């Protein structure tokens, strides 16, 4: 609660009503959690004419912009009301939950004399759920995401990039929120990169300074698909580092059950078919598996069919992996190798049984 009190004092001294209102509401929530409902109600009563949603929506109008292009350099995203699809390993769930738990109890930890650095770095291949994790943490902690827009943050006028970084951190520090830096490698590349200009190296120094100041009292999450490009000093700024990799077979099965749930689909009742389909999707990201599932459902709807079969799924796997660059012979051989009958191959490929047999001779 010390952080909230300090922020309220800062807001009062600078006559920042929005900052005072936002942190007072957060203080009331934390006091209620600690068991003092009466004090919490008193604070909320004082704030009854200041609706938190209005405060947050008002902040949308005042989001910082790039001086050169006048484009917004952050998006302000409220915590989601609905459920968030989370299919991760037990180890990953535990790591994410540990970060959430520490931030839920940071006032208690600081009162005990511990330094709490609320910084999390997520890395791994694209489409594996880094943004989903950030949204999940936002929802669980009840804090909005301030998402840095790197397309406008990195200015063509290099001197403006450092200024934009400062603007982002200052904006995020003025209200209870989580600052989310996606595609982090775009501004955090190693300073020994021979292809980078001196000004870009100074951007890293500005970034490091802002991270150090910001994470003393605020939550920072960064995500990158290219962790190997990050400056070594960047790694030391994050107390929590989580790799989010490609799903294994069991996780793919869980994803298929999630994305095909509610459909009449033989995979859902046939474990052997489910396992075979999952093995074909090894080395695909959750985003890719979701696309395959949705493409299969879309085809069922367009063709006015009532159910989805194993063959429908593996057909979409083939089409997704080949991106339209395949021959009919390749498709026929693929389906045959997966145990699909010649009659069914004929129907799936919309050709004659003779054509199927000629290819398989």
């Amino acid at each position: 609660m010390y952080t909230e009190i300090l922020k309220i004092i800062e807001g009062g001294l600078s006559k920042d009503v929005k900052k005072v209102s936002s942190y007072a509401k957060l203080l009331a929530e934390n006091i209620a959690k600690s068991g003092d409902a009466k004090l919490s109600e008193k604070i909320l009563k004082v704030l009854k004419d200041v609706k938190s949603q209005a405060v947050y929506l008002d902040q949308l109008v005042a989001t910082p912009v790039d001086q050169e292009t006048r484009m917004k350099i952050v998006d302000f995203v409220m915590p989601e009301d609905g459920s968030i699809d989370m299919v991760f390993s037990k180890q990953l769930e535990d790591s994410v939950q540990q970060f959430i738990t520490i931030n839920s109890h940071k006032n208690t930890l600081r009162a005990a004399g511990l330094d709490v650095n609320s910084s999390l770095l997520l890395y791994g291949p694209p489409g594996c759920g880094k943004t989903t994790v950030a949204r999940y943490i936002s929802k669980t902690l009840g804090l909005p995401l301030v998402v840095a827009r790197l397309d406008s943050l990195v200015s063509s006028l290099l001197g403006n990039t450092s200024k934009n970084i400062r603007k982002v951190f200052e904006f995020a520090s003025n209200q209870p929120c989580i600052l989310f830096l996606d595609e982090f490698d775009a501004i955090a590349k190693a300073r020994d990169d021979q292809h980078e200009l001196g000004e870009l190296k100074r951007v890293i120094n500005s970034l490091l300074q802002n991270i150090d100041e910001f994470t003393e009292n605020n939550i920072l999450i960064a995500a990158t698909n290219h962790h190997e490009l990050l400056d070594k000093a960047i790694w030391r700024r994050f107390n929590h580092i989580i790799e989010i990799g490609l799903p294994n077979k069991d996780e793919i099965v869980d994803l298929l059950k999630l994305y095909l749930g509610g459909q009449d689909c033989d995979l859902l009742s046939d474990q052997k078919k489910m396992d075979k389909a999952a093995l074909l999707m090894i080395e695909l990201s959750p985003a890719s598996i979701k696309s395959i599932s949705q493409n299969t459902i879309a085809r069922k709807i367009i063709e006015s069919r009532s159910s989805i079969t194993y063959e429908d799924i593996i057909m979409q796997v083939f089409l997704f992996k080949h991106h339209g660059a395949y021959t009919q012979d390749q498709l026929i051989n693929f389906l045959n190798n997966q145990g699909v009958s010649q009659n069914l191959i004929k129907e799936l490929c919309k050709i004659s049984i003779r054509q199927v047999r000629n290819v398989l001779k």
Side-chain angles (χ1 to χ4, degrees), residues 64-75:
V65 298
D66 175 61
Q67 184 176 346
E68 179 190 8
T69 64
R70 307 309 298 171
M71 290 176 61
K72 287 196 307 180
I73 55 178
V74 300
D75 288 321

Side-chain angles (χ1 to χ4, degrees), residues 298-316:
R299 178 168 176 171
K300 182 205 77 169
I301 294 170
I302 291 169
E303 296 179 354
S304 299
R305 293 189 285 111
S306 60
S307 62
I308 293 171
T309 66
Y310 162 77
E311 290 78 16
D312 293 328
I313 290 286
I314 65 169
M315 177 87 164
Q316 291 301 321

Side-chain angles (χ1 to χ4, degrees), residues 146-309:
V146 170
V147 184
R149 299 181 56 169
L150 295 184
D151 56 341
S152 49
L153 181 82
V154 180
S155 175
S156 60
L157 298 175
L158 294 177
N160 279 355
T161 299
S162 293
K163 294 178 182 177
N164 286 344
I165 290 172
R166 185 65 186 169
K167 287 179 184 178
V168 168
F169 279 90
E170 286 180 347
F171 174 78
S173 66
N174 282 334
Q175 56 268 315
C177 67
I178 298 171
L179 176 56
F180 181 45
L181 305 177
D182 201 0
E183 300 179 24
F184 190 48
D185 50 276
I187 55 171
K189 287 183 179 179
R191 284 169 289 185
D192 58 0
D193 189 333
Q194 298 302 313
H195 300 287
E196 298 293 359
L197 300 173
E199 180 59 39
L200 288 183
K201 295 177 182 178
R202 285 189 284 275
V203 165
I204 296 295
N205 293 331
S206 172
L207 179 63
L208 293 172
Q209 181 181 356
N210 280 284
I211 289 175
D212 289 340
E213 294 174 2
F214 184 80
T215 52
E216 288 181 7
N217 296 307
N218 304 279
I219 300 175
L220 171 67
I221 301 177
T224 177
N225 301 333
H226 302 288
H227 64 282
E228 71 282 357
L229 298 179
L230 297 183
D231 191 275
K232 291 179 181 178
I234 291 291
W235 291 89
R236 295 195 296 270
R237 263 58 184 190
F238 290 88
N239 276 23
H240 305 268
I241 299 174
I242 300 177
E243 179 181 8
I244 302 181
L246 295 169
N248 59 32
K249 184 178 79 69
D250 291 339
E251 291 162 358
I252 294 172
V253 168
D254 289 338
L255 286 167
L256 288 172
K257 289 178 179 177
L258 174 66
Y259 298 139
L260 297 174
Q263 301 291 321
D264 182 0
C265 178
D266 61 1
L267 265 71
L268 300 176
S269 57
D270 190 323
Q271 191 60 47
K272 286 186 178 180
K273 287 183 177 180
M274 179 66 83
D275 288 342
K276 286 175 68 177
L279 286 172
L280 289 174
M281 300 186 200
I282 292 293
E283 297 187 0
L284 291 182
S285 70
S288 299
I289 295 165
K290 184 175 184 178
S291 293
I292 290 168
S293 301
Q294 291 185 337
N295 290 343
T296 306
I297 295 170
R299 178 168 176 171
K300 182 205 77 169
I301 294 170
I302 291 169
E303 296 179 354
S304 299
R305 293 189 285 111
S306 60
S307 62
I308 293 171
T309 66

Side-chain angles (χ1 to χ4, degrees), residues 17-240:
V17 176
K18 296 170 185 175
K19 187 172 184 177
V20 172
S21 299
S22 296
Y23 276 100
K25 182 175 181 292
L26 186 61
L27 177 63
E29 292 172 355
N30 288 331
I31 288 174
K33 289 177 184 177
S34 68
D36 194 341
K38 288 186 178 180
L39 179 56
S40 175
E41 289 173 6
K42 287 181 180 179
I43 296 173
L44 292 174
K45 187 175 181 181
V46 173
L47 296 170
K48 67 179 180 180
D49 294 327
V50 184
K51 296 180 180 179
S52 62
Q53 286 280 18
V55 173
Y56 288 139
L57 290 174
D58 198 28
Q59 290 287 355
L60 282 169
V61 180
T63 51
V65 298
D66 175 61
Q67 184 176 346
E68 179 190 8
T69 64
R70 307 309 298 171
M71 290 176 61
K72 287 196 307 180
I73 55 178
V74 300
D75 288 321
F76 199 85
V77 184
M78 293 299 295
E80 297 188 23
D81 292 329
S83 62
I84 296 176
D85 298 339
M86 292 275 291
V87 178
F88 294 124
S89 67
K90 182 66 167 60
Q91 292 85 351
L92 179 54
E93 284 184 18
D94 290 344
S95 297
V96 172
Q97 193 56 51
Q98 181 184 21
F99 180 77
I100 291 172
T101 302
I102 286 175
N103 280 282
S104 298
H105 296 83
K106 62 182 180 181
N107 290 321
T108 304
L109 296 173
R110 283 175 175 156
L114 296 179
D115 291 330
V116 181
N117 183 313
S118 300
S119 55
L120 170 63
L121 176 63
L122 304 170
Y123 74 94
C128 286
K130 296 182 290 295
T131 301
T132 301
V133 168
R135 287 167 44 220
Y136 176 76
I137 293 172
S138 165
K139 174 182 171 60
T140 305
L141 292 175
L143 294 171
L145 280 178
V146 170
V147 184
R149 299 181 56 169
L150 295 184
D151 56 341
S152 49
L153 181 82
V154 180
S155 175
S156 60
L157 298 175
L158 294 177
N160 279 355
T161 299
S162 293
K163 294 178 182 177
N164 286 344
I165 290 172
R166 185 65 186 169
K167 287 179 184 178
V168 168
F169 279 90
E170 286 180 347
F171 174 78
S173 66
N174 282 334
Q175 56 268 315
C177 67
I178 298 171
L179 176 56
F180 181 45
L181 305 177
D182 201 0
E183 300 179 24
F184 190 48
D185 50 276
I187 55 171
K189 287 183 179 179
R191 284 169 289 185
D192 58 0
D193 189 333
Q194 298 302 313
H195 300 287
E196 298 293 359
L197 300 173
E199 180 59 39
L200 288 183
K201 295 177 182 178
R202 285 189 284 275
V203 165
I204 296 295
N205 293 331
S206 172
L207 179 63
L208 293 172
Q209 181 181 356
N210 280 284
I211 289 175
D212 289 340
E213 294 174 2
F214 184 80
T215 52
E216 288 181 7
N217 296 307
N218 304 279
I219 300 175
L220 171 67
I221 301 177
T224 177
N225 301 333
H226 302 288
H227 64 282
E228 71 282 357
L229 298 179
L230 297 183
D231 191 275
K232 291 179 181 178
I234 291 291
W235 291 89
R236 295 195 296 270
R237 263 58 184 190
F238 290 88
N239 276 23
H240 305 268

